Amino acid sequence: LAVTDPLTFQEACDSPDSAEWWRAIVSELTSLFEKGTFEVRDKQDKPPNARLLPLKWVFKRKFDAFGFLERFKARLCAKGFLQVAGRDYDDVFAPVSKH
């Protein structure tokens, strides 16, 4: 019987593995806050011309080379594909490696 990963935050919370998913969520948020790459803002505090992007949680079970469950992973992803050039951003940054 194959176990599927949750597709939504609610599915993760309602699953039998909810405690493991919560640990993964806390780990992801802790990492984002420690690195300074994420902050919680009130909608009223956003800059006047800024649009807030919706977020989506992505959940994945990680297995080792032998197929044994290694850990539960949660990632918070911004739906950046909803941005429009010229309205939401002017520049694009893409790191490039030169050989």
Side-chain angles (χ1 to χ4, degrees):
L1 180 67
V3 178
T4 59
D5 294 325
L7 297 176
T8 65
F9 181 83
Q10 192 61 50
E11 282 182 21
C13 292
D14 293 342
S15 82
D17 297 318
S18 62
E20 294 297 329
W21 292 122
W22 270 110
R23 276 192 272 285
I25 289 167
V26 168
S27 175
E28 172 72 354
L29 288 173
T30 301
S31 175
L32 291 172
F33 286 125
E34 285 176 354
K35 293 176 184 171
T37 57
F38 183 78
E39 63 183 48
V40 176
R41 296 189 108 177
D42 205 305
K43 285 184 179 182
Q44 291 80 14
D45 293 340
K46 75 175 183 63
N49 296 328
R51 282 185 349 133
L52 298 177
L53 291 176
L55 303 173
K56 177 174 175 46
W57 281 102
V58 177
F59 300 97
K60 189 78 179 154
R61 287 176 178 86
K62 296 293 186 171
F63 298 91
D64 65 14
F66 301 103
F68 293 106
L69 181 61
E70 196 169 55
R71 64 190 171 113
F72 289 73
K73 188 168 186 167
R75 285 287 175 252
L76 186 58
C77 302
K79 295 184 178 181
F81 58 86
L82 296 174
Q83 293 178 314
V84 176
R87 181 184 70 189
D88 299 318
Y89 64 90
D90 294 320
D91 294 326
V92 176
F93 174 75
V96 177
S97 166
K98 292 186 180 185
H99 299 285

